[in-house]
């Protein structure tokens, strides 16, 4: 069986080689955090990015309207953030031994393909929506 979710897949990392000199576009603010400056997506090809692997991935699709829905930002402390509107489908092994009273737990696992777990550390961050 598989699970499909529509989500903003966001990856954040710090790169001390990035020099931030002018914070001209402070349109995106998060509470108690540095203001973020939007960057041109063309810069992505020149930067190091974490090699993200989604375990048990079945499909990963990006949402597009006129172009791919994604953004790239940096703050004054050299923290980078890449966000991508996506539809993610991953495989979730299920057992129905206690059907119809069974309970299924599916874990969304993200890691690195090339780096050891102590070199690239992934954490989850749940951002609840206001209703």
């Amino acid at each position: 069986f598989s699970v499909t979710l529509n989500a903003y897949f966001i990856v954040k990392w710090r790169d001390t080689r990035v020099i931030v000199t002018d914070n001209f576009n402070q349109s995106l603010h998060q509470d108690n955090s540095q203001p973020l400056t939007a960057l041109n997506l063309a810069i992505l090809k020149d930067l190091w990015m974490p090699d993200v692997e989604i375990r048990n991935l079945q499909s990963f699709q990006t949402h597009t309207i006129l172009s791919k829905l994604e953004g790239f930002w940096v703050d004054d402390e050299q923290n980078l953030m890449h966000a991508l509107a996506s539809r993610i489908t991953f495989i979730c092994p299920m057992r129905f031994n206690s059907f119809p009273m069974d309970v299924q737990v599916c874990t969304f696992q993200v890691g690195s393909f090339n780096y050891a777990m102590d070199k690239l550390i992934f954490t989850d961050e749940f951002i609840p929506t206001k209703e």
Side-chain angles (χ1 to χ4, degrees), residues 11 47 89:
V11 180
L47 292 178
T89 302

Side-chain angles (χ1 to χ4, degrees), residues 8-126:
Y8 289 102
F9 191 73
I10 299 173
V11 180
K12 299 177 183 178
W13 70 96
R14 186 160 192 258
D15 192 335
T16 57
R17 298 169 295 176
V18 174
I19 299 171
V20 180
T21 58
D22 184 23
N23 212 353
F24 60 91
N25 183 8
Q26 297 181 357
S27 60
L28 182 59
H29 291 268
Q30 297 175 346
D31 295 336
N32 299 326
S33 66
Q34 292 286 325
L36 297 171
T37 300
L39 299 175
N40 188 318
L41 293 170
I43 197 171
L44 288 174
K45 65 178 177 43
D46 297 323
L47 292 178
W48 178 88
M49 289 184 62
D51 66 328
V52 177
E53 176 188 21
I54 299 172
R55 314 270 193 236
N56 299 317
L57 181 65
Q58 190 171 25
S59 69
F60 188 97
Q61 302 165 330
T62 56
H63 292 294
T64 57
I65 296 178
L66 296 176
S67 62
K68 213 186 311 187
L69 295 178
E70 70 178 317
F72 189 57
W73 297 270
V74 64
D75 68 15
D76 292 337
E77 296 179 351
Q78 301 165 310
N79 295 307
L80 304 168
M81 182 174 83
H82 184 228
L84 187 62
S86 58
R87 181 179 180 89
I88 305 166
T89 302
F90 62 97
I91 297 169
C92 178
M94 296 184 186
R95 293 188 178 177
F96 299 102
N97 298 347
S98 302
F99 182 81
M101 304 303 289
D102 58 304
V103 175
Q104 306 299 328
V105 177
C106 295
T107 56
F108 184 71
Q109 298 175 315
V110 178
S112 171
F113 185 77
N114 292 307
Y115 295 94
M117 289 179 11
D118 62 334
K119 299 295 181 195
L120 233 67
I121 300 168
F122 291 86
T123 58
D124 61 341
E125 183 176 313
F126 176 71

